[in-house]
């Protein structure tokens, strides 16, 4: 089995969000995929099976399988269009989250992803304690989005990972309006065994939707203010879909030689 390590939302290696992409002729067991995800110890390991521009795609964190992952989808699309079928301009993935279409746009790749209905919920003492700062607003979709008045609050926060697990949402996001970009965010994923996702595409399916409505814009440029950092071009498409784009960089190609259970 060949494995690629790709930095997503990264114009150069060692920035953005790293994902492993395992290219296979047939599916191994779920136990094998889980063991590889834990061995890689990246926020996501993607597994793809297929060809001729259409693949089945599954994503595993070190803790579980997930129904949607943006950065590992971008990494998988890069792997297909640059390494497996070079010159291809579009790839389709069948996933737990439905069909995903990714197309090339110059040096970037644009993903057509599902978004989630958002509803405003009360800001609670538990949110304030978990993040170490009081949000001005809280919005819940699949993930929790806590909005802060100052981007420096988001950049500097050191949340309590244990307390984050007690508040709503699959992922707990902190976001604020940006100075040099439209919005700045961070994504904490304690419930998925990931303290902080370097650049989270699936979270931005919701963060971008929120900020486009809040700012009255048809698209936003978002910055994930993690240690590695990364930029995302985000454009709601309507009817529950959002386009998220970014570049990717290849870091390593390896062969999995250990026998899989």
């Amino acid at each position: 089995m060949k494995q690629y390590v790709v930095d997503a939302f990264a114009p150069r290696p060692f920035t953005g969000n790293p994902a492993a992409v395992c290219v296979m002729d047939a599916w191994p067991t779920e136990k094998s995929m889980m063991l590889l995800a834990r061995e890689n110890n990246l926020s996501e390991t993607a597994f793809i099976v297929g060809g001729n521009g259409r693949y089945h795609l599954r994503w595993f964190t070190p803790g579980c399988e997930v129904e949607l992952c943006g950065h590992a989808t971008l990494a998988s699309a890069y792997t297909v269009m640059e390494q497996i079928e070079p010159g291809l301009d579009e790839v389709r993935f069948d996933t737990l989250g439905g069909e995903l279409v990714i197309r090339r746009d110059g040096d970037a790749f644009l993903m057509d992803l599902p978004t989630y209905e958002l509803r405003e919920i009360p800001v609670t003492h538990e949110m304030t304690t978990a993040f170490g700062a009081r949000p001005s607003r809280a919005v819940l979709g699949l993930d929790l989005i806590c909005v802060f008045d100052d981007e420096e609050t988001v950049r500097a926060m050191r949340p309590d990972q244990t307390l984050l697990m007690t508040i709503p949402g699959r992922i707990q996001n902190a976001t604020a309006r940006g100075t040099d970009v439209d919005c700045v965010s961070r994504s904490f994923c304690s419930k998925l065994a990931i303290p902080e996702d370097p650049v989270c595409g699936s979270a931005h399916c919701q963060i971008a939707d929120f900020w486009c409505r809040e700012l009255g814009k048809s698209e936003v440029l978002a910055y994930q203010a993690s240690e590695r950092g990364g930029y995302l071009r985000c454009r709601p498409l309507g009817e529950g879909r959002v386009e998220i784009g970014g570049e990717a960089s290849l870091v390593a190609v390896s062969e999995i030689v250990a026998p899989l259970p």
Side-chain angles (χ1 to χ4, degrees), residues 62-82:
C64 64
E65 184 174 11
V66 297
E67 67 179 29
L68 181 66
C69 176
H71 87 276
T73 300
L74 178 58
S76 298
Y78 172 91
T79 299
V80 170
M81 287 191 263
E82 292 290 332

Side-chain angles (χ1 to χ4, degrees), residues 27-259:
W27 292 110
T29 64
E30 287 194 10
K31 179 180 179 181
S32 296
M33 291 187 281
M34 195 71 254
L35 287 173
L36 279 172
R38 289 172 181 162
E39 183 76 13
N40 288 327
N41 200 31
L42 297 171
S43 58
E44 299 284 349
T45 296
F47 297 88
I48 62 174
V49 175
N52 298 318
R54 190 170 199 110
Y55 293 78
H56 290 273
L57 168 62
R58 296 174 71 177
W59 310 277
F60 286 77
T61 77
C64 64
E65 184 174 11
V66 297
E67 67 179 29
L68 181 66
C69 176
H71 87 276
T73 300
L74 178 58
S76 298
Y78 172 91
T79 299
V80 170
M81 287 191 263
E82 292 290 332
Q83 303 296 318
I84 302 174
E85 299 186 63
L88 200 67
D89 289 325
E90 180 181 281
V91 61
R92 293 174 180 265
F93 292 120
D94 294 310
T95 79
L96 287 176
E99 182 187 62
L100 304 180
V101 180
I102 298 86
R103 59 185 176 86
R104 190 191 298 271
D105 181 30
D107 292 332
F109 298 88
L110 304 181
M111 302 181 287
D112 182 343
L113 301 175
T115 188
Y116 299 88
E117 183 178 350
L118 303 176
R119 60 185 176 90
E120 194 141 358
I121 62 173
V123 172
T124 64
H125 172 73
E126 288 76 15
M127 294 175 192
T128 301
T129 304
F131 282 108
R134 184 168 181 80
S136 57
R137 298 172 66 182
V139 179
L140 184 64
L142 175 64
D143 303 326
L144 177 67
I145 303 169
C146 283
V147 184
F148 295 84
D149 292 331
D150 182 1
E151 73 171 279
E152 289 307 316
T153 300
V154 173
R155 290 177 179 271
M157 68 172 43
R158 297 292 182 267
D160 186 311
Q161 295 288 335
T162 301
L163 292 179
L164 285 176
M165 296 184 72
T166 68
I167 60 178
R170 178 196 62 156
I171 295 171
Q172 291 71 46
N173 301 283
T175 188
R177 187 168 183 174
T179 302
D180 300 320
V181 293
D182 293 302
C183 62
V184 169
S185 304
R186 291 174 68 191
S187 300
F188 305 102
C189 318
S190 301
K191 295 178 182 180
L192 302 177
I194 306 163
E196 181 171 4
D197 198 322
V199 189
C200 189
S202 64
H204 276 83
C205 292
Q206 300 152 89
I207 293 169
D209 190 27
F210 171 82
W211 282 113
C212 280
R213 296 183 191 188
E214 191 71 12
L215 300 175
K217 302 184 74 169
S218 60
E219 60 182 279
V220 293
L221 177 62
Y223 180 68
Q224 188 102 42
S226 65
E227 184 177 348
R228 292 172 64 98
Y231 291 90
L232 308 92
R233 293 161 45 192
C234 309
R235 182 170 68 95
L237 301 174
E239 298 183 352
R241 309 294 296 184
V242 61
E243 182 180 83
I244 295 183
E247 298 180 53
S249 300
L250 181 65
V251 174
V253 182
S254 61
E255 197 76 31
I256 305 299
V257 297

